[in-house]
Amino acid sequence: MRDAGWGRELTGTLVVAACAVGVLPMLVSTYTLTVLIIYGMLGLSLGLVWGFGGILCFGQAAFFGLGAYTYAIAAINFGESTVPMLLAVAVPAGFAAVLGAMLFYGRLTDVYLGVITLVVTLILHRFMNATAGSEYVIGNARLGGFNGIPGFQTLNVPGDPSAYVWGESFYYFSAVCLLLAYLLVSAVLRSSFGRIAVGIRENETRAALMGYDVPARKTVMFAAGAAIAGLAGALFANWAEIVTPRLFSLSQSADIIIWCIVGGLGTRIGPVLGAAGLSYLKFLLGQQDLLHNSVVSGAILVLFVLFLPGGIAPVLANAWRLITRRRPRSRYRRRRGPRSSLASGDA
C-alpha cells in the first residue's frame, strides 16, 4: 500500500509539473520563470532543514552564495560548467557538514543555532565585500569585492563548452533540477531516515533515549539542505551571469525565512510556492514607486503569522480535498420499481 501511494504521488507530481512547465511560459516570460524556479529550490532547501529537520537556520543564504561563488570561480578556472556544477553542490554541503557537526555535537539550542548561522552569513558577506584587492585571486578568478565576479563560463553541454544552455533550454533545465530535488526530498522523507528526522523534530530527547545518534542525523539533514541551496546558487549564477556579495546579505536570508512561513512550514510544496509567489510579487512591486517591497513583505509576514500560521499549502490542500471528495453512498438502495418475481422468491 505504501508503494502504491508513492506511485500515485509520483505520477501526480510529474503530471502537475509537466502541465505547469508547459502552461506558465504562456503567462510569464521564461527569463522570469527561471529565477522563480531557482528561488523555489532555495525555499525547498530551508523547508527541508527547518520544516522537517527542526533546525532553525537563519543562514541558508550562506550556502546559496557559496554555491554561486564556487560555480563562478570553478567555471573561470575550468572553462566549462560540468565540474563547477558538481563543486557548487559539494562545497556548500561540506561546509554545512563541518559547521553542523560543531553546532549539533556542541548541543546548541535553536536560538544559539539561529544566531550563529546568521553570523556566519554576515561574516561571508563582509569578507566578500572586502576582496576588491588584486591579491584576492583563486587560480585565474579574481573575487572582485563588492563588484563581484562577472564574465565566467555559463552552463554548457557536457564535453562541449561552445554549446551553451540558455534561454528556454535553461528554463527547462532549471525546472527539471527543481523537480528532481523535490522528488529526492520526498523520497528521503518517506524513508526511515526521514521519519526518524521528523521524530527528532518532535521530541529530540526521546529520540536520543531510543538510541538514535541525533547530532549525526541533524548534521546530514543540514548538509542535504545546503547541497540543494548550493545547486540553486549555481543556477542563479548562470541566470544572472554575475555573482556579488549581495547573495550573502541579511535581506536575502530574511526573504528565505518569509517564503517558508508564508508557503507553509512543514510541507514540501509550501516553501516552493511561497518563494515563487513572493518573488514574483517583489518583481511586480519593483515596477512602481508607491510601495517599497520590504514593507509589503513585512506586512504579509505579520498577517500570515496572525491569521494563517499554517501557510498557504495546507489551505490549498484542504480546498482540494473538499473539491475532490466523493459523496458518500446511501445506506439504503433506492427502489426503481417493483421487484421481479424471481427476485422476490415467488418462482
Side-chain angles (χ1 to χ4, degrees):
M1 294 179 62
R2 183 179 300 171
D3 293 339
W6 168 242
R8 288 193 297 269
E9 180 181 350
L10 178 60
T11 303
T13 301
L14 293 176
V15 170
V16 172
C19 293
V21 171
V23 172
L24 288 177
M26 302 178 185
L27 306 175
V28 185
S29 67
T30 55
Y31 182 79
T32 303
L33 286 174
T34 301
V35 73
L36 297 184
I37 288 172
I38 294 170
Y39 285 149
M41 187 181 300
L42 181 57
L44 177 64
S45 68
L46 182 60
L48 173 65
V49 171
W50 187 17
F52 294 98
I55 304 170
L56 181 59
C57 178
F58 283 93
Q60 202 70 9
F63 311 127
F64 181 65
L66 277 177
Y69 266 88
T70 299
Y71 176 85
I73 294 170
I76 292 176
N77 286 283
F78 285 95
E80 61 92 36
S81 65
T82 305
V83 176
M85 287 294 293
L86 297 176
L87 290 175
V89 176
V91 171
F95 178 78
V98 175
L99 178 63
M102 292 189 295
L103 296 176
F104 301 130
Y105 281 99
R107 306 293 181 180
L108 295 181
T109 58
D110 290 341
V111 175
Y112 293 103
L113 181 66
V115 170
I116 291 177
T117 52
L118 179 60
V119 168
V120 169
T121 307
L122 296 179
I123 289 174
L124 290 173
H125 180 257
R126 181 82 177 193
F127 172 76
M128 288 301 178
N129 271 299
T131 57
S134 58
E135 65 273 16
Y136 294 102
V137 178
I138 300 177
N140 298 321
R142 183 173 176 178
L143 298 183
F146 55 85
N147 292 317
I149 306 176
F152 46 83
Q153 173 78 22
T154 55
L155 192 67
N156 61 263
V157 177
D160 189 1
S162 62
Y164 293 99
V165 180
W166 59 283
E168 288 190 3
S169 299
F170 185 63
Y171 160 69
Y172 290 116
F173 177 79
S174 301
V176 170
C177 288
L178 175 59
L179 178 60
L180 292 177
Y182 181 86
L183 293 177
L184 179 62
V185 169
S186 300
V188 169
L189 293 177
R190 291 180 65 92
S191 66
S192 60
F193 177 85
R195 293 193 294 273
I196 294 170
V198 174
I200 293 173
R201 179 197 66 184
E202 296 298 324
N203 196 320
E204 184 174 331
T205 303
R206 179 175 294 180
L209 292 174
M210 293 176 65
Y212 296 112
D213 190 345
V214 173
R217 291 178 179 273
K218 294 179 74 171
T219 300
V220 173
M221 183 70 78
F222 195 56
I228 298 174
L231 177 59
L235 294 175
F236 183 86
N238 281 277
W239 176 81
E241 298 184 0
I242 185 174
V243 294
T244 63
R246 186 183 177 279
L247 298 174
F248 301 100
S249 65
L250 181 61
S251 61
Q252 183 72 70
S253 300
D255 283 342
I256 306 171
I257 295 174
I258 294 175
W259 296 343
C260 292
I261 295 175
V262 172
L265 195 63
T267 65
R268 288 165 294 169
I269 194 62
V272 178
L273 296 177
L278 290 180
S279 297
Y280 188 65
L281 177 62
K282 187 175 182 179
F283 169 75
L284 295 177
L285 291 173
Q287 301 177 9
Q288 51 83 44
D289 299 325
L290 182 61
L291 293 174
H292 196 273
N293 53 44
S294 61
V295 176
V296 177
S297 298
I300 291 174
L301 175 63
V302 172
L303 291 175
F304 269 81
V305 170
L306 292 177
F307 302 106
L308 200 63
I312 295 175
V315 174
L316 295 178
N318 292 332
W320 177 254
R321 292 191 190 99
L322 290 175
I323 294 173
T324 59
R325 186 176 60 183
R326 296 180 179 179
R327 296 178 61 184
R329 295 183 178 180
S330 175
R331 294 180 55 189
Y332 302 99
R333 186 178 62 181
R334 183 181 301 173
R335 293 192 177 187
R336 300 182 180 179
R339 293 184 298 171
S340 64
S341 58
L342 179 63
S344 60
D346 295 337

